[in-house]
Amino acid sequence: MYMKARRHQPRAGEDDVESNQLSSNEVRYGEKGPLWFPVALGALFLVMVGVLLCLTPQTKQHAWLTLHTKPTPPPTENLYLRRPLQQVPGLPPGPENPSTFVKARGATTRLHCETTAGPLTIDIHENWAPLGSQRFLDMVNTGFFSSRVGLFRAVKNFLCQTGVPGDPAVHQQWRQKGRIKDDPQWLDLTGQKQALKRGYLAFAGSGPDSRTTEFFFAFRDLKLGFQPWEVPFGELVGEASYAALDRFYAGYGDMRAFGGRAPAQGQIYRRGAAYLDEEFPLLDFMTSCEEVEGKT
């Protein structure tokens, strides 16, 4: 007859009483645990059900929207206005002095353009410069500005020259299209010293019939228009456009030939926006431009 072995054999030197003790956290097999836990869990469940039943439909909707609605970002225009002003304060959203003569605008195409300094609204007037206005609209409608066009020559109290595509391949495409002839000058160059007004757009050039894709914005009323290519073809519209214009970064100044530190045009043509990003990190860009209203 054999004796049944104990489940917990004490080790040598262990006390038989201590070896059979359980820790305060252990429960003997077959014994029930404390009753307070399931009671508390059930009470909590009943409270939650009661709260849900008491919620009105409007309250439930508000709670759902609070959890799922994304916060509304601040208006984009306000963010742009935080940028430092680059021109003298207090300039008007338009010409500084009335023009002695403004040619009838005729058919007008409204554009919305985005820049890293803020949005621009531009009116292109066919009657001001038939060839220049058509060239600019061709640039817009072929996605020229989506190549990131650097505002590379921003000179305080003078002008901002731009119009070199950020992609050298785009430049090659437009180079094949060639130059356009000059439009007749309509500015009153005899009756007014500063006939090319603040907010006007005109092409840059290097001689008769030399216009390609480079153009400029006038920061102020300027004594320009005496060159055959300086014929305005459009103008900025609205306070937001002028607020952006006055925030084009002008820290690099004029071309090196005129004592400034502006990017070299030849390098932009060869290397595109990569050259500007690498060596002129504060420079602003035009990033898109599209028609919002057809000719009116």
Side-chain angles (χ1 to χ4, degrees):
M1 182 174 179
Y2 294 94
M3 295 181 63
K4 190 178 293 185
R6 283 188 177 182
R7 185 177 179 183
H8 297 287
Q9 289 285 355
R11 295 181 181 178
E14 286 184 342
D15 186 272
D16 289 343
V17 177
E18 291 182 355
S19 66
N20 291 324
Q21 288 181 346
L22 300 173
S23 69
S24 60
N25 294 326
E26 292 178 308
V27 178
R28 295 181 184 274
Y29 180 77
E31 293 184 0
K32 295 182 179 180
L35 295 177
W36 63 266
F37 181 76
V39 172
L41 188 62
L44 179 62
F45 175 76
L46 292 175
V47 171
M48 293 177 64
V49 171
V51 171
L52 292 175
L53 290 175
C54 292
L55 289 176
T56 63
Q58 293 81 2
T59 308
K60 292 178 182 177
Q61 183 180 16
H62 176 75
W64 189 92
L65 290 174
T66 302
L67 292 173
H68 295 84
T69 303
K70 295 181 179 180
T72 304
T76 304
E77 289 80 2
N78 293 341
L79 296 178
Y80 288 126
L81 291 177
R82 297 177 186 176
R83 293 170 56 100
L85 195 66
Q86 300 292 309
Q87 302 301 311
V88 295
L91 292 174
E96 296 177 81
N97 297 293
S99 298
T100 55
F101 172 76
V102 178
K103 189 175 183 180
R105 289 171 170 80
T108 296
T109 302
R110 176 154 293 184
L111 308 176
H112 175 81
C113 303
E114 288 291 339
T115 79
T116 51
L120 303 176
T121 299
I122 303 174
D123 278 352
I124 305 298
H125 305 303
E126 181 179 343
N127 202 39
W128 278 10
L131 297 177
S133 62
Q134 188 58 55
R135 167 54 64 96
F136 194 81
L137 291 177
D138 288 344
M139 292 162 61
V140 170
N141 293 325
T142 56
F144 179 91
F145 293 97
S146 63
S147 69
R148 296 179 67 230
V149 179
L151 301 168
F152 66 87
R153 185 193 179 196
V155 185
K156 187 174 181 178
N157 292 324
F158 187 39
L159 56 75
C160 177
Q161 186 171 336
T162 182
V164 180
D167 183 350
V170 175
H171 163 59
Q172 292 301 325
Q173 295 171 5
W174 280 91
R175 187 176 183 181
Q176 294 175 5
K177 296 182 180 182
R179 303 177 177 185
I180 60 174
K181 293 185 177 181
D182 295 320
D183 286 299
Q185 183 58 270
W186 59 267
L187 293 173
D188 181 10
L189 300 176
T190 57
Q192 195 168 38
K193 291 183 178 180
Q194 297 171 322
L196 200 151
K197 295 300 180 181
R198 169 170 159 82
Y200 281 6
L201 286 77
F203 277 96
S206 57
D209 302 330
S210 63
R211 295 182 296 176
T212 55
T213 61
E214 289 193 45
F215 64 98
F216 64 86
F217 298 90
F219 284 138
R220 306 289 300 268
D221 290 358
L222 301 176
K223 191 177 180 180
L224 293 178
F226 297 94
Q227 300 298 337
W229 57 83
E230 295 173 348
V231 182
F233 61 85
E235 59 186 332
L236 293 181
V237 179
E239 292 186 7
S241 299
Y242 283 90
L245 177 73
D246 291 342
R247 285 166 174 78
F248 291 174
Y249 183 72
Y252 298 120
D254 210 336
M255 296 178 179
R256 297 177 188 274
F258 303 119
R261 299 183 296 115
Q265 288 164 283
Q267 289 288 341
I268 310 174
Y269 281 117
R270 285 188 289 273
R271 297 172 54 192
Y275 159 67
L276 300 176
D277 291 336
E278 180 180 343
E279 300 194 26
F280 301 89
L282 299 178
L283 198 74
D284 282 307
F285 291 84
M286 293 186 71
T287 55
S288 68
C289 212
E290 60 182 1
E291 292 187 18
V292 293
E293 293 181 16
K295 293 182 179 180
T296 57

